[in-house]
Amino acid sequence: EPQAVALVLNAHAKLQISNPVLFDYFAQDVPRRIKSYSMHSLCLVSSAFARAGRAEPALFQKVGDSVCSQAPSLYPRAVASVLFAFSEVDIRHGVLFYNAPEHVRQHVARYSVDELAMIARAYGRFQMVHLPLFDTITSAIPTRTLVDAAATLPLFESGSGDGGALGDALGGVDSVGDEEVGRRAGASLPRVASLVWLMEAYARLTIFEAEILQLLCDAIVARRADLEPQMVVHALRAAAALSWAHDGLIALGADCLAAQSEDLTIEDLEQLAKSLHELGAAADEREAEHSIRLLERPTRRVSAASAKIVGVTAPWTAAL
């Protein structure tokens, strides 16, 4: 049965069980029987091959064609999961990527932040500057809850982040195939990695939205305990690409560089140091002053949405 095949493939990929013969066989069999696969099964199959790093053009072409033919039965998690899977194996499906933004626009209230982040990441990876799609995402993010209002975490104490807690972030990041996660938009907090993915997508496509960058940076800093060091590097790199000098994010990056450098590769360390330097955190005061003039900075007047996210404990808003 197609559903059983999809579940078996997904289980092997999720548990990282190496079984090339299994994937080789179904890379040929699934396209032959594609009409018998439901939308859910197609999502699981594409997600399984993406997780396993198996770029099978014939398979993904058939999956994309079948998803498009079942357009009336599409739902947010299916759209996000399939687009994400295609981007992970670097295979484009023109019709699917052309029409998906309209589904997002029409049903954006049903999309969770995690799903919007998966879609943004997919378009960012392919360098698809689809402005109507990102206009929809930009209008949706301020209406969503990104941080637990009851959270009162210490923000910038050196070494305050627990390495074990930071290291758990990616465990829940790879949501491909987990269709029920974030089913209702706003029902739960998005993964902090989704916030970083959104920043990276805006940076890769050079889309500058000051309000969204402020909201995302505030939320990332407020949820620093959920971040692993690699995610800090990605967030700083995105901020640097957009010349967005957010004081809290800079402090978070500096803290990571000082306290958690042993958890980073040499390449990550170099990238983090470079990003901090580009954001004005230079060792030489005169050089830093010169760099700061070229950067965009959050204004002292913080939007209501941003203040709601950060809360009264945030040091850069408490004095306002």
Side-chain angles (χ1 to χ4, degrees), residues 74-109:
L74 279 171
Y75 51 91
R77 198 63 182 181
V79 175
S81 177
V82 171
L83 293 177
F84 188 93
F86 272 73
S87 70
E88 287 293 289
V89 292
D90 197 26
I91 295 177
R92 305 187 187 207
H93 190 282
V95 176
L96 178 62
F97 277 83
Y98 179 81
N99 289 286
E102 181 61 20
H103 187 277
V104 178
R105 186 191 66 79
Q106 292 180 2
H107 306 284
V108 65

Side-chain angles (χ1 to χ4, degrees), residues 208 239-245 277-280 287-297:
F208 188 89
L242 291 169
S243 298
W244 182 251
H277 180 83
E278 291 175 353
L279 291 171
E287 185 180 353
E289 181 181 355
H290 175 74
S291 299
I292 285 171
R293 297 196 189 105
L294 303 177
L295 299 171
E296 293 284 349
R297 284 184 173 275

Side-chain angles (χ1 to χ4, degrees), residues 26-281:
F26 284 110
Q28 303 297 321
D29 182 71
V30 171
R32 287 196 296 264
R33 306 175 55 206
I34 196 72
K35 291 184 179 180
S36 63
Y37 281 75
S38 67
M39 181 66 70
H40 181 220
S41 296
L42 292 173
C43 292
L44 290 177
V45 169
S46 60
S47 299
F49 275 85
R51 281 179 185 270
R54 296 289 300 262
E56 300 287 348
L59 168 70
F60 277 90
Q61 181 64 40
K62 286 291 187 179
V63 169
D65 292 345
S66 184
V67 168
C68 291
S69 69
Q70 299 182 48
S73 62
L74 279 171
Y75 51 91
R77 198 63 182 181
V79 175
S81 177
V82 171
L83 293 177
F84 188 93
F86 272 73
S87 70
E88 287 293 289
V89 292
D90 197 26
I91 295 177
R92 305 187 187 207
H93 190 282
V95 176
L96 178 62
F97 277 83
Y98 179 81
N99 289 286
E102 181 61 20
H103 187 277
V104 178
R105 186 191 66 79
Q106 292 180 2
H107 306 284
V108 65
R110 295 174 53 202
Y111 279 80
S112 69
V113 174
D114 289 326
E115 290 159 352
L116 292 175
M118 292 169 70
I119 293 170
R121 180 178 172 88
Y123 279 79
R125 283 196 165 190
F126 285 136
Q127 294 288 305
M128 293 181 178
V129 188
H130 197 295
L131 292 180
L133 170 64
F134 280 86
D135 286 343
T136 300
I137 295 173
T138 297
S139 65
I141 297 301
T143 68
R144 309 300 173 86
T145 301
L146 307 182
V147 173
D148 185 356
T152 55
L153 296 174
L155 293 182
F156 303 131
E157 293 181 6
S158 179
S160 61
D162 183 348
L166 294 175
D168 291 338
L170 278 184
V173 166
D174 189 3
S175 60
V176 180
D178 300 334
E179 67 198 278
E180 296 302 324
V181 178
R183 168 62 57 204
R184 293 171 50 221
S188 60
L189 292 179
R191 293 179 298 274
V192 69
S194 293
L195 307 180
V196 176
W197 285 358
L198 284 167
M199 279 196 66
E200 288 184 303
Y202 279 88
R204 286 180 66 89
L205 301 178
T206 322
I207 299 174
F208 188 89
E209 293 287 349
E211 181 184 6
I212 297 304
L213 293 176
Q214 177 74 36
L215 292 172
L216 293 174
C217 289
D218 287 348
I220 289 169
V221 173
R223 295 178 59 184
R224 64 178 297 169
D226 298 331
L227 279 169
E228 71 166 14
Q230 286 76 13
M231 286 289 105
V232 176
V233 176
H234 293 170
L236 265 293
R237 182 171 57 193
L242 291 169
S243 298
W244 182 251
H246 184 280
D247 291 338
L249 196 60
I250 292 172
L252 179 59
D255 183 67
C256 179
L257 187 62
Q260 290 152 339
S261 58
E262 67 276 4
D263 297 323
L264 297 171
T265 64
I266 297 298
E267 182 180 358
D268 283 340
L269 282 171
E270 292 176 349
Q271 186 62 63
L272 180 56
K274 179 183 177 183
S275 299
L276 287 170
H277 180 83
E278 291 175 353
L279 291 171

